[in-house]
């Protein structure tokens, strides 16, 4: 059994004895452990660096299909620029910081094909990306953005950043403390870190157990509560300005589908199943989701911190 990636002890409680990859169906079984010493949740066994590279190449391959100039790409770009998308962010919660407006240098860590970069640029920022998937990075570069292809720990930007966005990225890191240290170094004094990740203490996690979509083994290596994340940020030299909870309708839909069809991961992306459940989340479940968010049991933690 591995040691805790944050505190180094190995005093574990098993909180999920058998979790499978219900998104990409990569073979194997994992457990989720809770560290008795510091409260971190961790996937067990840990993948090695080599296993992670192989897994990402196999499952997170961004093919770039239909990206440039297709009707679909134009429609999608129009949707993300539309008031309708702003309304959806306002109603459903903004876990990717797409509603963030401002100016200065912004780095989007894990920028994928650059959809967020286009939005941040339109919102006033001088946006740059970091993306290790070469196909996705090239797609973002083709949109005119500077995109780095090295881990944040090796990035040497020409100037510090005013904002760094880490949207659903930290939980993928084998060394989250090193990632936050690298971000701290690359922020200007007083610069902002915008961070989101799944809430390991969410109501949906309690309801769906092993089927909760955000265990996302073996890709999610650590699983944070608000308390654990806040203390790690403070240890890493950040001042936590705001902690919010958001419960995206899509995440609810995906957990529902995963629980109903545990052996059929592709169904989670089937719009015929997902869209009605999302509409239910936005209407019938709206009051309950708002209560979860207020009580700290929302499905996603959205945190803004500044470099102290
Ligand atoms: Zn620990």
């Amino acid at each position: 059994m591995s040691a805790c990636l944050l505190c180094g002890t190995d005093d574990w409680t098993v909180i999920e004895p058998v979790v499978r990859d219900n998104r990409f169906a990569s073979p194997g079984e994992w457990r989720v452990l809770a560290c008795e010493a510091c409260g971190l949740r961790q996937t067990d066994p840990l993948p090695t660096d080599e296993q992670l590279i192989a897994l990402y190449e196999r499952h997170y391959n961004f093919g770039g299909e239909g990206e440039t100039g297709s009707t679909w790409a134009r429609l999608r770009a129009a949707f993300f620029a539309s008031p309708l998308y702003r309304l959806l962010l306002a109603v459903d919660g903004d876990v990717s910081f797409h509603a963030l407006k401002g100016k200065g240098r912004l780095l989007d860590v894990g920028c994928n094909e650059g959809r967020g970069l286009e939005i941040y640029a339109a919102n006033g920022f001088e946006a740059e990306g970091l993306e290790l998937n070469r196909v996705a990075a090239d797609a973002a570069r083709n949109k005119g953005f500077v995109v780095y292809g090295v881990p944040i720990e090796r990035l040497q930007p020409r100037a510090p950043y005013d904002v760094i966005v880490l949207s659903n990225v930290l939980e993928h890191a084998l060394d989250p403390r090193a990632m936050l240290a690298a971000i701290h170094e690359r922020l200007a004094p007083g610069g902002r870190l915008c961070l989101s990740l799944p809430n390991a203490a969410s109501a949906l996690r309690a309801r769906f157990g092993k089927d909760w979509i955000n265990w996302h083994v073996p890709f999610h290596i650590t699983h944070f509560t608000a308390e654990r994340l806040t203390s790690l940020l403070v240890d890493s030299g950040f001042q936590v300005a705001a902690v919010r909870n958001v419960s995206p309708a899509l995440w609810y839909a995906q957990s529902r589908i995963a629980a109903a069809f545990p052996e059929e991961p592709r169904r989670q992306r089937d719009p015929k199943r997902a869209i009605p459940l999302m509409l239910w989340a936005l209407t019938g479940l709206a009051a309950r989701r708002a209560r979860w968010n207020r009580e700290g049991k929302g499905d996603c933690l959205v945190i803004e911190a500044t470099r102290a």
Side-chain angles (χ1 to χ4, degrees):
M1 204 182 294
S2 324
C4 173
L5 288 171
L6 290 183
C7 78
T9 65
D10 60 355
D11 183 8
W12 297 111
T13 301
V14 178
I15 57 172
E16 288 294 346
V18 180
V19 183
R20 294 195 173 87
D21 176 3
N22 60 8
R23 294 221 203 163
F24 300 126
S26 49
E29 283 182 1
W30 290 266
R31 304 189 296 175
V32 181
L33 312 174
C35 176
E36 288 296 318
C38 81
L40 183 73
R41 274 72 158 162
Q42 190 168 301
T43 294
D44 175 69
L46 290 175
T48 62
D49 273 323
E50 292 72 31
Q51 285 168 334
L52 275 182
I53 290 166
L55 278 166
Y56 279 96
E57 285 189 347
R58 176 149 185 201
H59 297 291
Y60 263 75
N61 255 341
F62 170 77
E65 300 90 354
E67 263 307 296
T68 35
S70 71
T71 308
W72 169 240
R74 279 198 302 275
L75 279 174
R76 210 171 64 157
F79 171 68
F80 286 118
S82 69
L84 182 64
Y85 182 55
R86 290 252 158 208
L87 179 69
L88 186 67
L89 289 180
V91 172
D92 197 32
D94 179 15
V95 304
S96 304
F97 305 98
H98 286 172
L100 188 68
K101 293 195 171 191
K103 52 185 180 359
R105 284 169 54 71
L106 178 149
L107 178 70
D108 184 10
V109 179
C111 70
N112 212 313
E113 80 274 30
R115 191 176 79 200
L117 293 177
E118 292 180 298
I119 294 170
Y120 302 129
N123 288 355
F125 293 102
E126 186 193 324
E128 297 184 346
L130 186 154
E131 178 54 59
L132 300 182
N133 179 320
R134 279 171 292 181
V135 182
D138 280 340
R141 288 185 192 112
N142 286 338
K143 293 172 178 165
F145 293 103
V146 172
V147 178
Y148 304 97
V150 296
I152 182 88
E153 293 85 350
R154 291 192 359 229
L155 174 67
Q156 300 196 317
R158 62 176 174 77
Y161 293 99
D162 302 292
V163 179
I164 296 184
V165 175
L166 202 60
S167 174
N168 294 292
V169 171
L170 189 70
E171 68 278 22
H172 292 255
L174 270 167
D175 192 344
R177 199 187 290 279
M179 181 178 271
L180 289 177
I183 285 168
H184 190 273
E185 266 179 47
R186 285 154 186 80
L187 274 174
R192 290 157 79 189
L193 167 62
C194 297
L195 188 162
S196 64
L197 46 65
N199 178 7
S202 79
L204 292 179
R205 186 251 128 170
R207 170 170 169 189
F208 290 110
K210 69 175 175 49
D211 296 315
W212 186 50
I213 196 77
N214 288 312
W215 290 131
H216 196 8
V217 294
F219 299 91
H220 285 186
I221 291 165
T222 53
H223 312 275
F224 283 91
T225 61
E227 293 72 22
R228 188 64 191 91
L229 182 56
T230 302
S231 70
L232 175 62
L233 285 166
V234 171
D235 286 351
S236 304
F238 291 94
Q239 253 172 4
V240 177
V243 181
R244 288 186 296 117
N245 278 227
V246 168
S247 299
L250 176 64
W251 295 14
Y252 167 77
Q254 288 181 321
S255 281
R256 274 282 303 268
I257 298 170
F261 304 99
E263 308 298 330
E264 299 176 64
R266 276 188 197 84
R267 292 206 192 219
Q268 291 157 26
R269 295 188 165 268
D270 176 0
K272 283 197 300 296
R273 290 190 185 276
I275 288 173
L277 287 166
M278 288 173 70
L279 290 174
W280 167 243
L282 289 167
T283 55
L285 269 188
R288 215 177 312 168
R289 287 192 310 141
R291 196 184 73 227
W292 295 335
N293 294 342
R294 268 199 316 276
E295 293 175 349
K297 294 177 187 166
D299 225 23
C300 185
L301 300 171
V302 178
I303 290 187
E304 289 192 36
T306 52
R307 180 186 156 147

